Amino acid sequence: MRTLLLSIAVLAALGGSVGVARASGPVFTVLPSTPATSTFASAETPNSGALVLPPAYLAPRDSAGLSFPALHVLWQRAGATYGIPWQVLAAINKVESNFGRNMGPSSAGAIGWMQFMPSTWQRWGMDADADGVSDPWSPHDAILAAARYLAAAGGHADLSRAIFAYNHAQWYVDEILGLARLYGQNGVDVAFTYDRLQVNLQAAERTIARQNRVVVRATLEERRLARRTQAMYAKAAGAPLLTDRLALQKTAFEVDSRRAAAAGSVAAAKRKLKAAEAALEKARSSSWTSSFAPGGASLLAAPLYQGDYVFPVGGGPSVVSVGHDHHDYPAADIAAPEGAPLYALTDGFVVDAWPMPNGNCGIGLTMRAAVDGREWTYCHMSYEEPGIQPGVAVSAGQPVGLVGQTGHATGPHLHLQLQPASSYPQVESWFQAFAGSAFRWQDAPTMDAGPVFAVIDGPSSAPSDDPSVIAFTVERP
C-alpha cells in the first residue's frame, strides 16, 4: 500500500478571489471492485503492433449508455488496475463525453467514450472486455485505456502532469481535478446527483431557447399581418369606386382573419414559454445550493465572481471561449452553447432592453455599471428574462437571459461591447482574471493558473492538521 499526499495551492485572483473549499480526510480512494489482472496491457510501453479495430471505427456512433453503478465499477476497475484514482477517470469521462452522451468525433477528431485521438488510440488503446477488438466507442475499452494512458504519462507520481498530457491545457487540468475532488469528498453518488442536476438544468434552458424562437416567429408574423391588414383597409377607404372598395375590404378581411389566427398562435406559444420558465425556475432552485461546491460551478454553469465583477456567460472553459479580437470593431464574441445562461456582469441598472430581435444585435440589453458608470451591451441572446426592463436594478450574477444567435450572428455566442465601443472588453483586468476558470482563449494559450494538486510520494512534511493538504490512499494488488 502506498500513500500519496495532494497539496492544494491557494491561488490569488486579480480583483478578488474565487473561493476554494477545504476538506479534511481522504479525497481519493481507489478500491478494486473486482480483482485486478495482469493480462491487461502494460502502461510501461505503448502497443507494439496494429490493433484490431471495429469496422469504420472513425465514424460517429450512438451509445446505449451505461447505468451509473456500472460506470462506477468500470472507473474503479480501471483505477485499481493502473493506480489512477477513479474520481479522475470519472471526471475525464464527464468532461470528455458527458458519460457517453456526446462521443464525437470532435472538431479535432477525437472519438469515443474518453475522446481519444485515433493516433493515440493506436498506441494506447486496448481490448478490455475481451471481445476481440479494441474499440474506443466501448466504455470498457476506453475507460481502461484512459487509465493506462494516464499511468504511462506519470499519473502515479504527478496527476496534474498526466492530465495535462491528456489535454494540453491548464484550465483542463484544473477542471478535471476540481471535479475529481468534488467526487472524492462526497462519494460516487455526488457524481450522479450533479449529472442529473446538470441534465435537468440544461434541458430547461434549451427548452426556453427553442420555445422563445417559436414566440418570436409567431409574434413577427402576427405583426406583419397586422401591418398588412391596416394598409389594406386604408387603401380600401381611399378607393374611389365602390366595387374596388368592396374588393379591397374583402381582401383586408381575409388578411385580418389570418392575423387573428397568428395572434392565437402567439398566445399558445407564450403559454408554453410560461410553462418552460416555471420548469427553468424549478431546475435553478434545485441546483442553487450545489452550484457553490468547488467543482460544481462549471457543471451547473453558475456565475463566477472576481471582486465587483461576474463573467457574463456560464459554463466554464470547456464550453466557453473568446478571441482577443473582434472582426471589425472593439467587442468580444464569447462562444458558448445555445441556451447557456447569461449574467449581469456587475451591479447596475438596465438602460435599455429589447426582448424581440432588433437589427444586427438581435435580442439584447444595455446596462450601466454602478462601479464606474460605463455601459455594456449584450447581443444575440435567444431569450431575455422577463424582469429585464429599462430602469430595473440588477445585481452581479443575476440571470439576464440565455445565449443565442439572433440578429446578425453565425453560431451561438454573446456579443459583449462597451457603449460606445471605445475599447475591447478583453483588455479589462476583470475580464482577463476569468481566463482558465470561466473561459478559454480561442487564439492563444490560456495562461497557467498554477498547480491545483501537487503529488508527494511518501509522508508529507506539512502538519497533519494543515487544511491545505489532503491525503488519499491507492490500493494495488
Side-chain angles (χ1 to χ4, degrees), residues 10-402:
V10 180
L11 308 177
L14 291 174
S17 63
V18 176
V20 178
R22 294 175 173 178
S24 59
V27 168
F28 298 136
T29 304
V30 179
L31 298 173
S33 56
T34 57
T37 173
S38 61
T39 61
F40 286 123
S42 169
E44 303 300 323
T45 57
N47 302 323
S48 57
L51 298 181
V52 178
L53 300 169
Y57 88 107
L58 296 180
R61 192 186 308 177
D62 292 331
S63 169
L66 279 182
S67 68
F68 284 143
L71 274 176
H72 187 210
V73 168
L74 284 181
W75 298 331
Q76 285 190 317
R77 179 191 187 198
T81 300
Y82 289 105
I84 301 296
W86 71 260
Q87 293 91 338
V88 172
L89 296 171
I92 291 175
N93 197 176
K94 175 63 181 175
V95 171
E96 292 291 348
S97 73
N98 199 13
F99 298 149
R101 299 187 187 98
N102 182 18
M103 298 196 295
S106 71
S107 58
I111 55 176
W113 270 80
M114 302 297 272
Q115 289 291 280
F116 275 91
M117 294 298 291
S119 58
T120 307
W121 184 259
Q122 289 281 358
R123 289 173 60 81
W124 298 103
M126 56 193 295
D127 176 17
D129 55 7
D131 64 355
V133 295
S134 299
D135 188 358
W137 305 91
S138 159
H140 302 77
D141 293 358
I143 292 171
L144 265 291
R148 180 191 179 198
Y149 181 82
L150 291 169
H156 296 156
D158 191 335
L159 278 172
S160 294
R161 184 181 69 182
I163 297 167
F164 190 89
Y166 206 98
N167 186 330
H168 305 315
Q170 185 60 42
W171 66 260
Y172 179 84
V173 176
D174 296 343
E175 187 161 343
I176 294 299
L177 288 175
L179 270 182
R181 184 166 179 261
L182 176 68
Y183 297 164
Q185 284 177 315
N186 300 282
V188 70
D189 287 345
V190 78
F192 309 143
T193 298
Y194 270 82
D195 182 70
R196 185 50 47 197
L197 289 172
Q198 182 192 43
V199 167
N200 291 340
L201 188 59
Q202 289 181 345
E205 290 166 342
R206 290 167 184 166
T207 298
I208 288 272
R210 287 195 302 269
Q211 188 57 38
N212 200 52
R213 282 200 299 271
V214 176
V215 170
V216 167
R217 285 197 300 266
T219 301
L220 293 177
E221 177 64 6
E222 191 272 337
R223 290 178 179 178
R224 184 187 71 82
L225 292 171
R227 290 193 300 270
R228 188 178 173 195
T229 299
Q230 186 177 19
M232 293 294 295
Y233 276 123
K235 188 175 181 180
L241 298 177
L242 178 61
T243 54
D244 291 341
R245 187 180 312 126
L246 291 175
L248 288 170
Q249 286 176 342
K250 178 182 178 181
T251 302
F253 179 80
E254 292 171 349
V255 174
D256 194 35
S257 296
R258 291 164 54 196
R259 180 210 57 78
S265 296
V266 171
K270 286 184 175 180
R271 285 194 296 270
K272 290 183 179 179
L273 179 61
K274 194 76 173 176
E277 289 170 340
L280 177 58
E281 182 59 33
K282 181 178 179 181
R284 283 174 174 169
S285 298
S286 298
S287 64
W288 179 250
T289 302
S290 300
S291 68
F292 289 101
S298 289
L299 278 182
L300 301 176
L304 294 180
Y305 295 79
Q306 295 276 6
D308 293 325
Y309 287 90
V310 165
F311 196 72
V313 184
S318 63
V319 295
V320 179
S321 63
V322 62
H324 284 84
D325 297 304
H326 185 255
H327 57 85
D328 57 356
Y329 61 89
D333 282 349
I334 307 172
E338 181 97 9
L342 297 173
Y343 301 108
L345 57 81
T346 190
D347 294 341
F349 69 91
V350 179
V351 176
D352 197 5
W354 44 100
M356 293 294 292
N358 183 5
N360 289 340
C361 184
I363 296 172
L365 64 94
T366 296
M367 65 166 289
R368 181 173 297 160
V371 66
D372 55 17
R374 293 186 300 172
E375 294 185 359
W376 296 89
T377 292
Y378 294 49
C379 289
H380 307 319
M381 297 159 65
S382 63
Y383 167 79
E384 190 167 86
E385 296 283 341
I388 302 302
Q389 299 176 8
V392 169
V394 291
S395 56
Q398 177 179 332
V400 297
L402 302 175

Side-chain angles (χ1 to χ4, degrees), residues 431-462:
F431 194 108
Q432 295 180 355
F434 287 106
S437 60
F439 73 93
R440 69 181 187 277
W441 293 112
Q442 297 169 351
D443 51 359
T446 301
M447 294 299 293
D448 238 356
V452 175
F453 293 97
V455 181
I456 306 167
D457 192 3
S460 170
S461 58

